[in-house]
Amino acid sequence: MWILSFVTKIQHGHLLSISKTGGKLQTMSKTNTYPVSARGPMTHDVRDQIVAAATEHFRRYGYEKTTVSDLAKAIGFSKAYIYKFFVSKQAIGEMICANCLREIETEIRAAVDEADRPPEKLRRMFKAIVEASLRLFFQDRNLYEIAAAAATDRWPAARVYEERIQQLLQDILQEGRQTGDFERKTPLDEVTMSIYLVMRPYLNPLLLQHSFDHTDDAPAQLSGLVLRSLSP
């Protein structure tokens, strides 16, 4: 969903994103599969600078308490100049959220790709989702506000993130059916959505806060239960 320790340096031709290694920000290609509300060309260094400074400002002071005027003063730009690139504070938050969610998705996919067979891919997917979500909540609570706002108001980036996680899950299930690891009788879309709903308390930041008591055991227990239900 959409987390950690931030720097404000932007390298030419890249956007900020969050690395799973040590919680540090790294640069990432500007190719972005997540929708964002921005004005002008997407490849613009000034937009990158605004996003970097806004990320740091939100991290220190929180998303809800910060206004575009606050950001303009902190960055050293006029408010009108910021509005040349973003239609609102939410549009800036959406871009930060999109960067975060894209990086979480990358982390989840990397964990899945480390496994050879579908059952282990599913186990690793559960584990990566819980670990990434907990990092979001505990290591950068002010940026958690952005993720919570995205989930509450159903920002486009949050919706796309959910769809892409569902697609990854469906791909694993489809592969498992082809290898004979998973049953084939239940409609694939029904199985996909059912398992996604099991994962959702750890994907959605609004639900995450109610799931802390079980985070140590949840990945193994939930994936184990799901895998037993998928046995052919």
Side-chain angles (χ1 to χ4, degrees), residues 7 44 57 109 136 143 149 181 224:
V7 295
H44 200 297
H57 202 80
R109 288 183 179 275
L136 165 64
L143 287 183
D181 289 300

Side-chain angles (χ1 to χ4, degrees), residues 112 117-119 121-123 125-126 165-197 199 223 226-227 229-231:
V112 168
R117 296 192 64 82
K121 289 183 178 183
L122 196 59
R123 289 190 186 94
M125 185 176 184
F126 268 93
I165 293 299
Q166 289 176 32
Q167 185 60 56
L168 173 60
L169 174 59
Q170 182 170 299
D171 291 343
I172 296 172
L173 295 174
Q174 183 66 54
E175 181 183 352
R177 291 185 171 202
Q178 293 171 352
T179 60
D181 289 300
F182 300 153
E183 62 91 8
R184 303 180 184 181
K185 295 181 180 179
T186 311
L188 182 60
D189 58 347
E190 180 180 324
V191 177
T192 301
M193 182 52 65
S194 297
I195 298 175
Y196 175 76
L197 292 175
M199 294 176 168
S223 61
V226 166
L227 287 170
S229 73
L230 291 173
S231 297

Side-chain angles (χ1 to χ4, degrees), residues 38-42 44-51 85-86 95:
R39 289 172 166 165
M42 290 304 298
H44 200 297
D45 289 343
V46 173
R47 180 179 291 106
D48 295 346
Q49 293 170 23
I50 293 171
V51 171
F85 297 92
F86 295 98
M95 183 164 280

Side-chain angles (χ1 to χ4, degrees), residues 22-63:
K24 300 292 185 181
L25 261 180
Q26 292 183 343
T27 55
M28 176 176 280
S29 169
K30 285 186 177 180
T31 301
N32 194 341
T33 56
Y34 288 84
V36 293
S37 300
R39 289 172 166 165
M42 290 304 298
T43 55
H44 200 297
D45 289 343
V46 173
R47 180 179 291 106
D48 295 346
Q49 293 170 23
I50 293 171
V51 171
T55 301
E56 181 65 20
H57 202 80
F58 290 153
R59 178 172 176 257
R60 289 184 178 183
Y61 304 108
Y63 174 74

Side-chain angles (χ1 to χ4, degrees), residues 3-228:
I3 290 176
L4 310 169
S5 178
F6 290 82
V7 295
T8 56
K9 182 178 180 181
I10 295 285
Q11 295 181 359
H12 180 71
H14 293 81
L15 281 176
L16 282 176
S17 68
I18 302 161
S19 168
K20 65 178 180 178
T21 306
K24 300 292 185 181
L25 261 180
Q26 292 183 343
T27 55
M28 176 176 280
S29 169
K30 285 186 177 180
T31 301
N32 194 341
T33 56
Y34 288 84
V36 293
S37 300
R39 289 172 166 165
M42 290 304 298
T43 55
H44 200 297
D45 289 343
V46 173
R47 180 179 291 106
D48 295 346
Q49 293 170 23
I50 293 171
V51 171
T55 301
E56 181 65 20
H57 202 80
F58 290 153
R59 178 172 176 257
R60 289 184 178 183
Y61 304 108
Y63 174 74
E64 295 296 340
K65 295 180 180 179
T66 300
T67 66
V68 175
S69 295
D70 295 331
L71 289 177
K73 184 177 180 181
I75 299 171
F77 293 157
S78 69
K79 186 165 71 170
Y81 191 60
I82 291 178
Y83 279 130
K84 288 184 177 181
F85 297 92
F86 295 98
V87 298
S88 64
K89 182 183 78 169
Q90 177 177 318
I92 301 174
E94 285 180 4
M95 183 164 280
I96 295 172
C97 182
N99 290 343
C100 293
L101 295 178
R102 183 181 54 193
E103 183 64 25
I104 291 176
E105 181 195 342
T106 299
E107 180 178 341
I108 294 170
R109 288 183 179 275
V112 168
D113 289 343
E114 291 175 356
D116 294 327
R117 296 192 64 82
E120 183 59 26
K121 289 183 178 183
L122 196 59
R123 289 190 186 94
R124 289 177 181 266
M125 185 176 184
F126 268 93
K127 187 173 186 292
I129 285 171
V130 172
E131 289 177 349
S133 298
L134 289 177
R135 240 190 355 261
L136 165 64
F137 190 87
F138 285 112
Q139 294 189 21
D140 230 318
R141 288 297 301 276
N142 280 339
L143 287 183
Y144 169 83
E145 287 184 13
I146 300 179
T152 300
D153 297 333
R154 301 292 295 160
W155 291 0
R159 294 198 302 270
V160 169
Y161 172 66
E162 293 175 1
E163 292 169 0
R164 291 177 67 83
I165 293 299
Q166 289 176 32
Q167 185 60 56
L168 173 60
L169 174 59
Q170 182 170 299
D171 291 343
I172 296 172
L173 295 174
Q174 183 66 54
E175 181 183 352
R177 291 185 171 202
Q178 293 171 352
T179 60
D181 289 300
F182 300 153
E183 62 91 8
R184 303 180 184 181
K185 295 181 180 179
T186 311
L188 182 60
D189 58 347
E190 180 180 324
V191 177
T192 301
M193 182 52 65
S194 297
I195 298 175
Y196 175 76
L197 292 175
V198 174
M199 294 176 168
R200 194 164 180 263
Y202 300 95
L203 280 166
N204 187 300
L206 299 177
L207 300 177
L208 176 64
Q209 58 188 321
H210 303 296
S211 308
F212 289 148
D213 292 343
H214 307 288
T215 52
D216 290 341
D217 302 322
Q221 291 179 346
L222 294 178
S223 61
L225 176 64
V226 166
L227 287 170
R228 287 192 293 275

